[in-house]
Amino acid sequence: MPQPLDILGLTRAELAIEVGILHGKPGKGAYHADAVFKDLYENARFAPELLPEFGDNPGLAERVRDHFRLALPDITGRQGDGDTFKFLLKVDGESALETESVVIPMKAYKTLCVSSQVGCKMGCRFCETAQMGFLRNLTAGEIVAQVFTARFVLGEPIENVVFMGMGEPTDNLDAVIRAIRILSDQRGLRIPLRSITVSTVGSVPGILRLAEAAQLRLQEGGLRGLRLAVSLNAPDDAVRSSLMPVNGTHDMAALKGAFLKWPLARPDDFVLAEYVLIAGVNDGPEHARLLADYLREVRACVNLIPYNPRNDSPYARPTPERVAEFFRLLQDLGQYCRIRGTKGDGVMAACGQLGNRAVSRKKSHAEARNPSTLETV
Ligand code: SAH
């Protein structure tokens, strides 16, 4: 008996193909699949036998019910810091792997920061997730489950999704793109593409592939409107290479080329250039000048993120005065910029503080005993 498919991991088109086969009329599954999809994302329910569309075909309802499953991962932890809190979802039956997601209140709605991987391969020196190494990619269903859980189990009015949790989205791009298609579906959660941001460490091929998808409208199978954030974190190659190993593969000149290829849907759109401010490393006036020069031809908004120290970090957060000075100087140089608040740092839920080192320790012990049972990095 084949395992039932995780229904949260299927786009509506994929669901229609599967249902068509169950119907015995391949290519004719859209009517029933649309009904299942709508009920799933409007009422958080998977019960085809209750849908009027299946009224004259109870056999099909039964086959659909058996072929798919809606199995939400258990919530294994929740830590709050005021309105901002993170929650953990267990993703593998027996092991201790968890996704981490952060709910962040904005003005009238909430943003969910989702993970795309458990751990990360990128090795950025300032980031907590890097310390746990890479454990595994999340499936599209596990990414969608984070939003589904936040909305329906925790009752949070999530209207914005940012791929800024654990992991590097461009390193798991098939699952990330599929998850974005599911989240933005007009008959599903209807999260507008303009309210979804993919944040990348700066993988040039990853940005180019996303840029190609973002050229086309949703109806044409594209992701037009999707927002891009790039973790720049430095004004030149010397500083960036000292913080981010990825700069050895994709340097800042190549990155600028990719920035310039990003399709901006509207005149007031921009690419977000994330810049973690680290005391004495990249927060001086000379850095601000170099940064403004680097971004001169790019329509970018610099998002300044005062550093949230990871555990045992050699780096420190600059004083608020120094952050304000950097911000003012960038503005004076004509560079559009914002400062990101440090919500969640009391519970290790702020940017770059997600990750569970206990899991990576368990992993390395297990690997030493039996290297073939675990994914290799
Ligand atoms: N891998 C993706 C998404 C995860 S990191 C990326 O690199 O963009 C999300 C953001 O948090 C990035 O901009 C990263 O530079 C920032 N970040 C990482 N560690 C941080 C820390 N300790 N303090 C503040 N921001 C951090």
Side-chain angles (χ1 to χ4, degrees), residues 6 73 89-92 97-101 114-119 134-146 163 165-169 171-179 375:
D6 176 5
L89 298 180
K90 187 164 170 172
V91 289
D92 277 340
L97 292 192
E98 289 160 328
T99 66
E100 301 197 12
S101 323
V114 295
S115 297
S116 54
Q117 299 177 316
V118 183
F134 173 71
L135 286 110
R136 78 162 171 83
N137 278 330
L138 294 177
T139 63
E142 288 163 346
I143 296 170
V144 173
Q146 297 170 58
F163 284 82
M166 276 197 289
E168 168 53 30
D171 194 31
N172 185 19
L173 209 43
D174 288 340
V176 166
I177 289 177
R178 178 174 290 144
E375 280 169 290

Side-chain angles (χ1 to χ4, degrees), residues 5-22 28-41 46 54 64 67-69:
L5 295 176
D6 176 5
I7 196 161
L8 294 182
L10 297 173
T11 62
R12 191 154 49 89
E14 290 167 337
L15 190 65
I17 292 171
E18 294 285 334
V19 172
I21 294 168
L22 296 174
K28 296 275 181 206
Y31 171 72
H32 292 102
D34 283 2
V36 169
F37 196 85
K38 188 162 175 281
D39 193 38
L40 180 63
Y41 291 108
F46 174 54
F54 287 81
V64 168
H67 190 71
F68 305 100
R69 72 191 156 94

Side-chain angles (χ1 to χ4, degrees), residues 22 54-66:
L22 296 174
F54 287 81
D56 58 354
N57 199 341
L60 179 62
E62 197 175 318
R63 288 196 295 284
V64 168
R65 202 190 49 215
D66 294 344

Side-chain angles (χ1 to χ4, degrees), residues 172-358:
N172 185 19
L173 209 43
D174 288 340
V176 166
I177 289 177
R178 178 174 290 144
I180 294 171
R181 291 197 195 293
I182 299 168
L183 297 173
S184 58
D185 194 300
Q186 288 302 312
R187 306 215 190 173
L189 293 171
R190 282 191 223 102
I191 298 181
L193 285 162
R194 304 181 55 74
S195 302
I196 301 179
T197 303
V198 174
S199 176
T200 168
V201 72
S203 150
V204 169
I207 296 172
L208 295 182
R209 193 176 150 202
L210 278 169
E212 213 167 287
Q215 310 273 5
L216 297 176
R217 291 174 193 288
L218 196 59
Q219 304 87 303
E220 302 160 332
L223 300 175
R224 195 173 160 91
L226 179 71
R227 294 187 187 262
L228 176 73
V230 177
S231 297
L232 202 55
N233 296 337
D236 61 21
D237 282 319
V239 177
R240 196 161 191 269
S241 293
S242 76
L243 294 171
M244 303 173 70
V246 70
N247 202 62
T249 317
H250 307 291
D251 67 8
M252 290 184 61
L255 201 50
K256 196 194 287 190
F259 262 125
L260 291 168
K261 294 222 165 73
W262 188 258
L264 295 166
R266 297 187 189 172
D268 55 344
D269 277 354
F270 48 76
V271 173
L272 206 62
E274 294 164 289
Y275 193 100
V276 180
L277 277 168
I278 304 177
V281 174
N282 63 3
D283 67 336
E286 69 283 15
H287 300 122
R289 283 188 204 99
L290 281 169
L291 179 62
D293 269 353
Y294 174 78
L295 290 174
R296 202 156 309 281
E297 310 124 74
V298 184
R299 232 159 71 203
C301 170
V302 174
N303 198 193
L304 296 174
I305 315 172
Y307 181 55
N308 300 305
R310 63 168 168 84
N311 289 316
D312 314 320
S313 179
Y315 304 113
R317 181 187 295 176
T319 60
E321 294 71 39
R322 197 147 163 100
V323 173
E325 213 174 293
F326 196 94
F327 176 77
R328 255 198 316 274
L329 184 50
L330 272 185
Q331 273 194 322
D332 291 348
L333 292 163
Q335 176 59 54
Y336 179 36
C337 49
R338 294 178 184 163
I339 300 181
R340 189 183 294 178
T342 50
K343 290 169 181 161
D345 54 343
V347 289
M348 292 297 281
C351 298
Q353 293 188 312
L354 302 184
N356 180 352
R357 277 198 226 188

